[in-house]
Amino acid sequence: MLSLGYKAIISTMFFDDFELHKDAKVRDSLLWEYELENFDYHDMRTVVVQRVVERGRMEDYYAILNLYGINGVREAIKEIPCLNAKDISFVCSVFDLNKEDLKCYIRKQSLYQH
């Protein structure tokens, strides 16, 4: 188990300078199936954050952190319905979350396994 101090170092190491990237935008290709002219980034926060976690680049992370704030991104991550184990581990480490707080982890645990 990682100590809390080590987790804090990981999260600041990745995103400590996100505020310097105010012009960062989420790539349109991450939301390819939506009509982006009328897309509401706040109503669709969980979808946007999920796409960035699954396929995003550093600029996409800067964009969502500037758009929603660190706490907003953390709350959206908790509501993502499905993530693979690698992405769960990443977001838990970087955003200092417990996997038990994630809807996707709880959902995965409740599915019947043969």
Side-chain angles (χ1 to χ4, degrees), residues 74-91:
R74 291 178 86 235
E75 292 304 313
I77 289 169
K78 291 178 184 178
E79 295 301 316
I80 294 173
C82 184
L83 282 177
N84 65 39
K86 181 179 169 184
D87 291 335
I88 290 172
S89 294
F90 175 76
V91 295

Side-chain angles (χ1 to χ4, degrees), residues 1-97:
M1 187 73 179
L2 297 174
S3 70
L4 183 58
Y6 188 70
K7 279 185 157 182
I9 291 170
I10 290 174
S11 64
T12 59
M13 180 177 68
F14 278 97
F15 303 119
D16 61 346
D17 62 344
F18 76 90
E19 293 175 337
L20 299 176
H21 302 272
K22 293 284 186 195
D23 58 339
K25 300 211 181 292
V26 175
R27 289 177 293 133
D28 292 347
S29 60
L30 293 179
L31 303 165
W32 61 270
E33 74 267 44
Y34 294 100
E35 186 178 322
L36 296 179
E37 294 83 30
N38 300 321
F39 190 79
D40 189 342
Y41 281 86
H42 290 285
D43 283 346
M44 300 292 287
R45 178 180 74 170
T46 303
V47 171
V48 174
V49 172
Q50 180 176 0
R51 297 295 173 82
V52 171
V53 168
E54 291 174 336
R55 299 178 185 92
R57 298 179 184 156
M58 194 62 121
E59 299 82 25
D60 300 314
Y61 279 97
Y62 291 145
I64 62 170
L65 287 166
N66 282 314
L67 188 60
Y68 306 123
I70 292 174
N71 289 330
V73 171
R74 291 178 86 235
E75 292 304 313
I77 289 169
K78 291 178 184 178
E79 295 301 316
I80 294 173
C82 184
L83 282 177
N84 65 39
K86 181 179 169 184
D87 291 335
I88 290 172
S89 294
F90 175 76
V91 295
C92 286
S93 294
V94 172
F95 291 98
D96 194 24
L97 295 167

